[in-house]
């Protein structure tokens, strides 16, 4: 069974902390994505990566950065966490960047609360 | 960038009835239109998709229709069952080659 694994299901962090969210996939996919999910706003793309060490900004990159040192791992970094970054964060991977031929495989999500 | 609007935001139907969710998009060059289902507490999963060269696609009780001229596409679920209760997201792949999601529709199937 193909898997995208996010390291934490729930996280509580303090304002101003540096936060790392980790995602690992075992499908040898080139493309990986970070989305945040908020009620009424759907899934919004933060960053994506189409190759090791490559990254592209999504629709809402402000306040975030990413790292992809290995093909299977894609990390999302909140440089200085703020309360408006409280959200559900979903990682995904895909064979094709647009999602054709199998779509995106999502992780179970990390619910981050910033207090 | 691509703009995807999804309606309605919530939908309640009785078991056995049909449900229809509609999405409109802005980029006329968009070429791929998947639908994802997210059950409560679970991850989104692809349930059906359609490419721009096809007008309709069916898979058992679910179907998707695409009107490229009007730039809208719809998800149709027939003979709804309680297990169809979930949040449904449409998505579009446009010229930027990445998926843009709609805001989601919470479908509730009542007995």
């Amino acid at each position: 069974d193909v898997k995208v694994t996010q390291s934490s299901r729930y996280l509580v962090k303090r304002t101003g902390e540096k936060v790392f969210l980790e995602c690992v996939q075992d499908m040898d996919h080139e493309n990986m994505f970070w989305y945040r999910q908020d009620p009424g706003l759907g899934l919004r793309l933060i960053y994506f990566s189409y190759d090791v060490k490559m990254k592209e900004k999504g629709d809402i990159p402000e306040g975030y950065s990413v790292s992809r040192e290995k093909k299977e791992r894609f990390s999302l970094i909140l440089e200085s966490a703020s309360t408006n970054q409280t959200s559900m964060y979903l990682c995904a991977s895909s064979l094709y960047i647009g999602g054709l031929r199998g779509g995106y495989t999502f992780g179970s999500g990390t619910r981050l609360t910033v207090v | 960038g691509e703009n995807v609007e999804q309606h309605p935001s919530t939908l309640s139907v009785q078991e056995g009835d049909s449900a229809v969710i509609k999405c409109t998009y802005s980029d006329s060059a968009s070429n791929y239109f998947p639908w994802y289902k997210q059950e409560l507490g679970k991850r989104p999963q692809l349930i059906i998709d359609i490419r721009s060269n096809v007008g309709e696609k069916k898979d058992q009780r679910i179907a998707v229709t695409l009107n490229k001229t009007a730039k809208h596409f719809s998800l149709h679920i027939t003979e709804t069952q309680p297990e169809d209760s979930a949040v449904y997201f449409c998505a579009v792949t446009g010229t930027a080659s990445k998926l843009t999601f709609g805001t989601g529709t919470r479908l509730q199937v009542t007995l």
Side-chain angles (χ1 to χ4, degrees):
Chain A
D1 190 23
V2 295
K3 286 240 174 70
V4 175
T5 304
Q6 294 183 230
S7 55
S8 303
R9 189 81 173 102
Y10 298 95
L11 272 180
V12 180
K13 296 292 181 180
R14 293 193 180 278
T15 301
E17 276 194 77
K18 190 168 187 176
V19 182
F20 293 85
L21 302 183
E22 305 289 343
C23 176
V24 177
Q25 52 99 359
D26 65 359
M27 295 165 284
D28 201 34
H29 283 169
E30 303 287 342
N31 307 290
M32 296 188 75
F33 310 84
W34 276 105
Y35 285 87
R36 66 177 280 178
Q37 181 175 11
D38 300 288
L41 297 178
L43 302 170
R44 293 181 292 165
L45 182 63
I46 304 170
Y47 267 97
F48 64 102
S49 169
Y50 53 89
D51 200 354
V52 175
K53 296 193 185 295
M54 305 303 290
K55 61 184 179 184
E56 293 283 344
K57 291 180 180 179
D59 300 317
I60 52 164
E62 296 78 19
Y64 303 94
S65 62
V66 290
S67 172
R68 189 145 181 225
E69 297 296 319
K70 293 185 177 181
K71 189 176 186 179
E72 67 271 18
R73 188 180 296 271
F74 192 35
S75 302
L76 179 69
I77 304 155
L78 285 67
E79 298 291 342
S80 177
S82 64
T83 54
N84 63 12
Q85 292 178 309
T86 292
S87 185
M88 171 68 83
Y89 290 87
L90 288 166
C91 175
S93 73
S94 73
L95 189 58
Y96 292 93
I97 201 161
L100 282 78
R101 297 187 191 175
Y104 285 14
T105 300
F106 283 90
S108 296
T110 296
R111 184 165 293 283
L112 173 67
T113 302
V114 182
V115 297
Chain B
E2 178 76 81
N3 185 41
V4 181
E5 293 191 3
Q6 183 172 346
H7 299 280
S9 56
T10 60
L11 180 59
S12 182
V13 299
Q14 285 199 317
E15 184 180 5
D17 287 350
S18 295
V20 180
I21 304 169
K22 297 181 180 178
C23 287
T24 60
Y25 59 97
S26 58
D27 185 353
S28 57
S30 297
N31 58 9
Y32 176 63
F33 309 88
W35 285 88
Y36 285 76
K37 175 184 180 182
Q38 186 178 29
E39 296 177 17
L40 190 63
K42 304 250 180 102
R43 66 193 76 193
Q45 292 194 297
L46 178 69
I47 55 171
I48 195 168
D49 56 11
I50 193 169
R51 299 180 109 174
S52 58
N53 57 349
V54 176
E56 182 175 359
K57 184 177 179 181
K58 279 186 179 180
D59 183 4
Q60 299 182 338
R61 295 186 298 105
I62 60 173
V64 57
T65 58
L66 172 66
N67 183 327
K68 284 196 68 181
T69 304
K71 290 190 283 187
H72 69 70
F73 59 112
S74 300
L75 177 71
H76 304 254
I77 306 174
T78 58
E79 300 171 21
T80 53
Q81 300 169 3
E83 53 264 37
D84 294 328
S85 295
V87 178
Y88 292 82
F89 293 97
C90 64
V92 175
T93 296
T95 49
S97 297
K98 57 180 174 66
L99 268 184
T100 299
F101 286 84
T103 50
T105 297
R106 182 173 299 280
L107 173 64
Q108 181 70 44
V109 179
T110 58
L111 298 173

mmCIF file of all heavy atoms in Angstrom, chain B residues 23-43:
data_model
loop_
_atom_site.group_PDB
_atom_site.id
_atom_site.type_symbol
_atom_site.label_atom_id
_atom_site.label_comp_id
_atom_site.label_asym_id
_atom_site.label_seq_id
_atom_site.Cartn_x
_atom_site.Cartn_y
_atom_site.Cartn_z
ATOM 1 N N CYS B 23 -18.570 23.058 -10.046
ATOM 2 C CA CYS B 23 -17.364 23.881 -9.942
ATOM 3 C C CYS B 23 -17.169 24.666 -11.231
ATOM 4 O O CYS B 23 -17.440 24.150 -12.318
ATOM 5 C CB CYS B 23 -16.131 23.028 -9.680
ATOM 6 S SG CYS B 23 -16.073 22.385 -7.997
ATOM 7 N N THR B 24 -16.712 25.890 -11.087
ATOM 8 C CA THR B 24 -16.324 26.688 -12.237
ATOM 9 C C THR B 24 -14.848 27.056 -12.104
ATOM 10 O O THR B 24 -14.310 27.126 -10.999
ATOM 11 C CB THR B 24 -17.159 27.978 -12.351
ATOM 12 O OG1 THR B 24 -16.957 28.761 -11.162
ATOM 13 C CG2 THR B 24 -18.635 27.664 -12.486
ATOM 14 N N TYR B 25 -14.206 27.260 -13.235
ATOM 15 C CA TYR B 25 -12.791 27.587 -13.234
ATOM 16 C C TYR B 25 -12.530 28.736 -14.186
ATOM 17 O O TYR B 25 -13.366 29.069 -15.028
ATOM 18 C CB TYR B 25 -11.944 26.356 -13.588
ATOM 19 C CG TYR B 25 -12.240 25.749 -14.934
ATOM 20 C CD1 TYR B 25 -11.471 26.056 -16.054
ATOM 21 C CD2 TYR B 25 -13.282 24.840 -15.089
ATOM 22 C CE1 TYR B 25 -11.729 25.486 -17.284
ATOM 23 C CE2 TYR B 25 -13.559 24.270 -16.324
ATOM 24 C CZ TYR B 25 -12.785 24.592 -17.418
ATOM 25 O OH TYR B 25 -13.049 24.029 -18.640
ATOM 26 N N SER B 26 -11.349 29.341 -14.065
ATOM 27 C CA SER B 26 -11.092 30.565 -14.818
ATOM 28 C C SER B 26 -10.154 30.384 -16.005
ATOM 29 O O SER B 26 -10.259 31.104 -16.997
ATOM 30 C CB SER B 26 -10.510 31.627 -13.876
ATOM 31 O OG SER B 26 -9.314 31.146 -13.269
ATOM 32 N N ASP B 27 -9.230 29.417 -15.910
ATOM 33 C CA ASP B 27 -8.211 29.253 -16.944
ATOM 34 C C ASP B 27 -8.732 28.361 -18.069
ATOM 35 O O ASP B 27 -8.899 27.155 -17.875
ATOM 36 C CB ASP B 27 -6.953 28.659 -16.316
ATOM 37 C CG ASP B 27 -5.784 28.560 -17.286
ATOM 38 O OD1 ASP B 27 -5.978 28.823 -18.493
ATOM 39 O OD2 ASP B 27 -4.675 28.208 -16.846
ATOM 40 N N SER B 28 -8.962 28.939 -19.236
ATOM 41 C CA SER B 28 -9.521 28.173 -20.345
ATOM 42 C C SER B 28 -8.567 27.085 -20.850
ATOM 43 O O SER B 28 -8.975 26.186 -21.574
ATOM 44 C CB SER B 28 -9.895 29.114 -21.491
ATOM 45 O OG SER B 28 -8.757 29.853 -21.903
ATOM 46 N N ALA B 29 -7.295 27.158 -20.469
ATOM 47 C CA ALA B 29 -6.329 26.141 -20.887
ATOM 48 C C ALA B 29 -6.281 24.952 -19.929
ATOM 49 O O ALA B 29 -5.514 24.009 -20.141
ATOM 50 C CB ALA B 29 -4.944 26.761 -20.998
ATOM 51 N N SER B 30 -7.077 24.964 -18.879
ATOM 52 C CA SER B 30 -7.099 23.867 -17.909
ATOM 53 C C SER B 30 -7.453 22.568 -18.608
ATOM 54 O O SER B 30 -8.308 22.541 -19.501
ATOM 55 C CB SER B 30 -8.099 24.156 -16.792
ATOM 56 O OG SER B 30 -7.719 25.304 -16.083
ATOM 57 N N ASN B 31 -6.780 21.480 -18.202
ATOM 58 C CA ASN B 31 -6.951 20.245 -18.963
ATOM 59 C C ASN B 31 -7.236 18.999 -18.131
ATOM 60 O O ASN B 31 -7.386 17.900 -18.673
ATOM 61 C CB ASN B 31 -5.704 20.004 -19.827
ATOM 62 C CG ASN B 31 -4.446 19.930 -18.984
ATOM 63 O OD1 ASN B 31 -4.499 19.900 -17.766
ATOM 64 N ND2 ASN B 31 -3.307 19.921 -19.647
ATOM 65 N N TYR B 32 -7.321 19.146 -16.818
ATOM 66 C CA TYR B 32 -7.533 17.952 -15.994
ATOM 67 C C TYR B 32 -8.377 18.346 -14.790
ATOM 68 O O TYR B 32 -8.100 19.358 -14.132
ATOM 69 C CB TYR B 32 -6.174 17.406 -15.561
ATOM 70 C CG TYR B 32 -6.239 16.227 -14.611
ATOM 71 C CD1 TYR B 32 -6.806 15.022 -14.996
ATOM 72 C CD2 TYR B 32 -5.716 16.337 -13.329
ATOM 73 C CE1 TYR B 32 -6.859 13.952 -14.111
ATOM 74 C CE2 TYR B 32 -5.765 15.276 -12.456
ATOM 75 C CZ TYR B 32 -6.334 14.085 -12.838
ATOM 76 O OH TYR B 32 -6.389 13.028 -11.976
ATOM 77 N N PHE B 33 -9.417 17.512 -14.498
ATOM 78 C CA PHE B 33 -10.411 17.904 -13.506
ATOM 79 C C PHE B 33 -10.740 16.709 -12.601
ATOM 80 O O PHE B 33 -11.628 15.923 -12.889
ATOM 81 C CB PHE B 33 -11.681 18.395 -14.219
ATOM 82 C CG PHE B 33 -11.392 19.442 -15.260
ATOM 83 C CD1 PHE B 33 -11.084 19.080 -16.562
ATOM 84 C CD2 PHE B 33 -11.412 20.789 -14.939
ATOM 85 C CE1 PHE B 33 -10.802 20.041 -17.530
ATOM 86 C CE2 PHE B 33 -11.137 21.756 -15.895
ATOM 87 C CZ PHE B 33 -10.830 21.377 -17.190
ATOM 88 N N PRO B 34 -10.030 16.586 -11.493
ATOM 89 C CA PRO B 34 -10.306 15.468 -10.576
ATOM 90 C C PRO B 34 -11.255 15.888 -9.453
ATOM 91 O O PRO B 34 -11.429 17.072 -9.167
ATOM 92 C CB PRO B 34 -8.924 15.157 -10.006
ATOM 93 C CG PRO B 34 -8.222 16.480 -9.998
ATOM 94 C CD PRO B 34 -8.783 17.267 -11.167
ATOM 95 N N TRP B 35 -11.827 14.873 -8.824
ATOM 96 C CA TRP B 35 -12.642 15.078 -7.622
ATOM 97 C C TRP B 35 -12.058 14.222 -6.499
ATOM 98 O O TRP B 35 -11.730 13.047 -6.701
ATOM 99 C CB TRP B 35 -14.086 14.666 -7.879
ATOM 100 C CG TRP B 35 -14.841 15.638 -8.717
ATOM 101 C CD1 TRP B 35 -14.913 15.667 -10.083
ATOM 102 C CD2 TRP B 35 -15.628 16.741 -8.260
ATOM 103 N NE1 TRP B 35 -15.698 16.711 -10.502
ATOM 104 C CE2 TRP B 35 -16.147 17.387 -9.392
ATOM 105 C CE3 TRP B 35 -15.961 17.246 -6.997
ATOM 106 C CZ2 TRP B 35 -16.969 18.515 -9.316
ATOM 107 C CZ3 TRP B 35 -16.778 18.359 -6.912
ATOM 108 C CH2 TRP B 35 -17.275 18.976 -8.056
ATOM 109 N N TYR B 36 -11.978 14.831 -5.321
ATOM 110 C CA TYR B 36 -11.466 14.141 -4.144
ATOM 111 C C TYR B 36 -12.550 14.076 -3.076
ATOM 112 O O TYR B 36 -13.346 15.009 -2.919
ATOM 113 C CB TYR B 36 -10.234 14.866 -3.580
ATOM 114 C CG TYR B 36 -8.984 14.644 -4.396
ATOM 115 C CD1 TYR B 36 -8.790 15.309 -5.599
ATOM 116 C CD2 TYR B 36 -8.008 13.754 -3.968
ATOM 117 C CE1 TYR B 36 -7.649 15.099 -6.357
ATOM 118 C CE2 TYR B 36 -6.863 13.534 -4.711
ATOM 119 C CZ TYR B 36 -6.695 14.205 -5.909
ATOM 120 O OH TYR B 36 -5.562 13.981 -6.659
ATOM 121 N N LYS B 37 -12.549 12.984 -2.332
ATOM 122 C CA LYS B 37 -13.490 12.782 -1.233
ATOM 123 C C LYS B 37 -12.700 12.702 0.064
ATOM 124 O O LYS B 37 -11.707 11.968 0.136
ATOM 125 C CB LYS B 37 -14.266 11.481 -1.455
ATOM 126 C CG LYS B 37 -15.197 11.083 -0.314
ATOM 127 C CD LYS B 37 -15.833 9.733 -0.611
ATOM 128 C CE LYS B 37 -16.781 9.303 0.501
ATOM 129 N NZ LYS B 37 -17.366 7.959 0.235
ATOM 130 N N GLN B 38 -13.146 13.450 1.069
ATOM 131 C CA GLN B 38 -12.475 13.397 2.362
ATOM 132 C C GLN B 38 -13.494 13.047 3.436
ATOM 133 O O GLN B 38 -14.340 13.865 3.801
ATOM 134 C CB GLN B 38 -11.804 14.731 2.688
ATOM 135 C CG GLN B 38 -10.976 14.689 3.964
ATOM 136 C CD GLN B 38 -10.280 16.014 4.246
ATOM 137 O OE1 GLN B 38 -10.759 17.080 3.861
ATOM 138 N NE2 GLN B 38 -9.132 15.954 4.913
ATOM 139 N N GLU B 39 -13.409 11.830 3.927
ATOM 140 C CA GLU B 39 -14.267 11.417 5.035
ATOM 141 C C GLU B 39 -13.740 12.025 6.325
ATOM 142 O O GLU B 39 -12.578 12.418 6.409
ATOM 143 C CB GLU B 39 -14.311 9.893 5.111
ATOM 144 C CG GLU B 39 -14.952 9.283 3.870
ATOM 145 C CD GLU B 39 -14.937 7.763 3.888
ATOM 146 O OE1 GLU B 39 -14.726 7.181 4.966
ATOM 147 O OE2 GLU B 39 -15.133 7.171 2.824
ATOM 148 N N LEU B 40 -14.609 12.092 7.308
ATOM 149 C CA LEU B 40 -14.280 12.760 8.554
ATOM 150 C C LEU B 40 -13.020 12.162 9.182
ATOM 151 O O LEU B 40 -12.950 10.948 9.408
ATOM 152 C CB LEU B 40 -15.461 12.642 9.522
ATOM 153 C CG LEU B 40 -15.362 13.490 10.794
ATOM 154 C CD1 LEU B 40 -15.326 14.969 10.438
ATOM 155 C CD2 LEU B 40 -16.536 13.195 11.722
ATOM 156 N N GLY B 41 -12.035 12.988 9.433
ATOM 157 C CA GLY B 41 -10.799 12.558 10.064
ATOM 158 C C GLY B 41 -9.850 11.800 9.169
ATOM 159 O O GLY B 41 -8.838 11.273 9.633
ATOM 160 N N LYS B 42 -10.166 11.748 7.878
ATOM 161 C CA LYS B 42 -9.328 10.980 6.961
ATOM 162 C C LYS B 42 -8.680 11.905 5.923
ATOM 163 O O LYS B 42 -8.990 13.085 5.840
ATOM 164 C CB LYS B 42 -10.172 9.921 6.244
ATOM 165 C CG LYS B 42 -10.914 8.975 7.181
ATOM 166 C CD LYS B 42 -10.335 7.600 7.144
ATOM 167 C CE LYS B 42 -11.055 6.653 8.079
ATOM 168 N NZ LYS B 42 -11.971 5.779 7.358
ATOM 169 N N ARG B 43 -7.808 11.323 5.137
ATOM 170 C CA ARG B 43 -7.129 12.092 4.103
ATOM 171 C C ARG B 43 -7.993 12.183 2.849
ATOM 172 O O ARG B 43 -8.799 11.298 2.577
ATOM 173 C CB ARG B 43 -5.790 11.424 3.763
ATOM 174 C CG ARG B 43 -5.916 10.061 3.115
ATOM 175 C CD ARG B 43 -4.591 9.319 3.088
ATOM 176 N NE ARG B 43 -4.224 8.781 4.380
ATOM 177 C CZ ARG B 43 -3.032 8.311 4.694
ATOM 178 N NH1 ARG B 43 -2.062 8.335 3.791
ATOM 179 N NH2 ARG B 43 -2.770 7.811 5.882
#
